Amino acid sequence: MRKSAILITGANGEMGHGLITALHKKNNVNIVALDLNPLDDSISVLVHEELIGNILDQGLIEQLNGEYEFDTIYHLAALLSTRAEFSPRAAHDVNVGGTLNLLNLAIEQGRSQGNPVKFFFPSSIAVYGFSGLDEKNDAGTIKEDSYRNPTTMYGCNKLYCEHLGNYYTNNYQRLGAEKHQRYIDFRSIRFPGIISSKTIPTGGTSDYIPEMLHAAAKGEVYNCFVREDTQIPFITMPDAICAITTLMDALEANISCTVYNIRSFAPTAEEFRQKVLEHFPNAEIGYSITEKRQQMVDSWPADTDDSMAKKDWNWKPVHDLDSGMKDYLVPDLQQMYHN
Ligand code: SER
């Protein structure tokens, strides 16, 4: 008998930490967690099985297919945007090839179970792309179907995988002998930058905001690698996790598209610096701009329009910038670094 479970890839990453904790609390599901590295102790105790391995390992994917019946797959594993620029080939292998492997696993599972497997894919504001600051400033707040001209490898990978998810859901084997059936139910969110109190991201480009905050809480000097006026949207990790679980729980009839924007607040780097100084008045935060990373952030929108998520599945963040700092980030950081 195959065991019923849900699968989370990239389980030891920032988002994996929050998602495993939330899913464990929410219902009594068997979580199979896959990551290149062992899970941290705090989440290792919450999962049914922990697998250390690579999503590019076909043998491992086949083993998972043989042992489990997954009704839901959360495919979080990816190389983030800065790392992807340093190693574009590896990024394509992992971000695209890895996603294809997981989509194929979902198809196999959906076919054998006779029910579509729910598939969650975290996309990103990096799928949008502007030719430069003038276009970014003119565009303002943007909707899902505009400016999808990514200039980063990560953005290209994410946009293509959104299309693959759509294809696998709606047109997979459209010319095959089998009567067309839906084997997967692909749902995706284009995340803005995410700020967590528990973890600091590695390899991203929106990292200047969480890095600034964590450095201030630790009492370390921080030099921000983008200009003061740089603006993209952000969200707290609890709101990001809540968005995932809400979207995945939404009735299929209410879902009108495969990919949704969400956002909460969109401070400039300097506005965020000022907010950090309100809570950590002795923080030493300066600027040391890395022009190449600046260009990447300048190609991303200053803000996104999340009205479709609001309409279809009642998306509403709990935290704005003030309450996110006061009720979540600052208390957790004080406890983490000063106890
Ligand atoms: N936060 C991601 C990164 O910076 C973009 O979605 O790579």
Side-chain angles (χ1 to χ4, degrees):
M1 273 276 282
R2 298 198 299 179
K3 284 170 270 184
S4 65
I6 61 164
L7 174 64
I8 304 182
T9 71
N12 199 44
E14 275 215 291
M15 202 174 261
H17 277 78
L19 188 62
I20 286 174
T21 310
L23 292 177
H24 179 263
K25 269 195 205 138
K26 205 165 168 286
N27 38 31
N28 197 14
V29 285
N30 290 329
I31 300 174
V32 175
L34 172 59
D35 202 284
L36 280 176
N37 300 304
L39 295 189
D40 294 340
D41 292 345
S42 60
I43 50 172
S44 177
V45 294
L46 307 180
V47 305
H48 171 75
E49 187 174 2
E50 176 179 341
L51 292 163
I52 300 167
N54 193 322
I55 54 171
L56 298 178
D57 178 350
Q58 288 291 352
L60 178 60
I61 302 281
E62 276 164 32
Q63 181 195 330
L64 285 169
N65 194 34
E67 283 183 22
Y68 288 99
E69 285 205 349
F70 298 116
D71 60 20
T72 310
I73 294 175
Y74 298 88
H75 172 42
L76 310 181
L79 261 64
L80 290 183
S81 58
T82 291
R83 273 188 70 195
E85 290 310 298
F86 283 116
S87 316
R89 177 68 202 251
H92 190 275
D93 288 347
V94 173
N95 297 353
V96 177
T99 301
L100 201 63
N101 285 348
L102 269 299
L103 285 169
N104 280 318
L105 170 65
I107 290 279
E108 289 301 316
Q109 291 268 319
R111 185 182 268 138
S112 69
Q113 293 173 35
N115 269 323
V117 168
K118 282 190 179 171
F119 193 103
F120 179 73
F121 179 70
S123 189
S124 161
I125 52 166
V127 303
Y128 300 113
F130 300 112
S131 51
L133 263 186
D134 287 346
E135 195 182 23
K136 169 168 172 158
N137 292 337
D138 288 347
T141 296
I142 64 175
K143 286 189 187 295
E144 281 84 352
D145 57 1
S146 54
Y147 297 103
R148 286 171 301 182
N149 304 308
T151 69
T152 62
M153 187 61 179
Y154 178 75
C156 293
N157 297 162
K158 288 287 180 186
L159 183 58
Y160 176 58
C161 290
E162 287 179 8
H163 287 305
L164 279 181
N166 200 8
Y167 169 78
Y168 269 63
T169 296
N170 296 311
N171 295 311
Y172 179 73
Q173 287 205 334
R174 71 205 315 173
L175 300 183
E178 286 174 50
K179 183 166 161 288
H180 178 70
Q181 276 189 38
R182 288 182 79 204
Y183 297 119
I184 70 166
D185 173 1
F186 178 93
R187 302 181 185 194
S188 177
I189 291 174
R190 287 190 191 139
F191 286 104
I194 301 178
I195 318 174
S196 168
S197 62
K198 301 199 168 40
T199 45
I200 311 178
T202 45
T205 316
S206 58
D207 296 6
Y208 60 95
I209 291 279
E211 282 174 2
M212 192 188 291
L213 177 62
H214 280 259
K218 283 192 260 189
E220 290 174 357
V221 176
Y222 184 70
N223 281 313
C224 177
F225 58 80
V226 294
R227 280 188 323 269
E228 302 175 18
D229 64 349
T230 304
Q231 186 184 11
I232 55 171
F234 282 88
I235 194 169
T236 63
M237 184 60 87
D239 276 333
I241 299 300
C242 182
I244 299 175
T245 56
T246 309
L247 172 62
M248 294 304 272
D249 288 345
L251 292 177
E252 213 178 325
N254 294 339
I255 301 291
S256 65
C257 52
T258 44
V259 56
Y260 291 90
N261 286 337
I262 63 167
R263 48 83 65 203
S264 179
F265 41 87
T268 62
E270 180 58 19
E271 283 164 352
F272 192 77
R273 177 176 170 273
Q274 293 300 333
K275 188 57 64 187
V276 172
L277 287 170
E278 278 176 30
H279 293 275
F280 301 98
N282 299 326
E284 290 181 58
I285 308 165
Y287 290 91
S288 172
I289 290 140
T290 309
E291 198 44 49
K292 290 176 179 167
R293 286 178 102 186
Q294 177 74 56
Q295 281 170 14
M296 291 168 68
V297 189
D298 285 346
S299 78
W300 295 346
D303 207 349
T304 55
D305 178 322
D306 59 355
S307 51
M308 203 143 68
K310 287 184 169 136
K311 180 167 150 293
D312 284 5
W313 40 279
N314 295 319
W315 154 245
K316 190 175 184 316
V318 169
H319 295 138
D320 59 17
L321 178 54
D322 281 328
S323 66
M325 288 292 275
K326 195 163 60 64
D327 302 335
Y328 162 60
L329 293 164
V330 173
D332 274 17
L333 290 168
Q334 299 278 23
Q335 203 190 3
M336 186 154 84
Y337 294 124
H338 299 290
N339 274 349

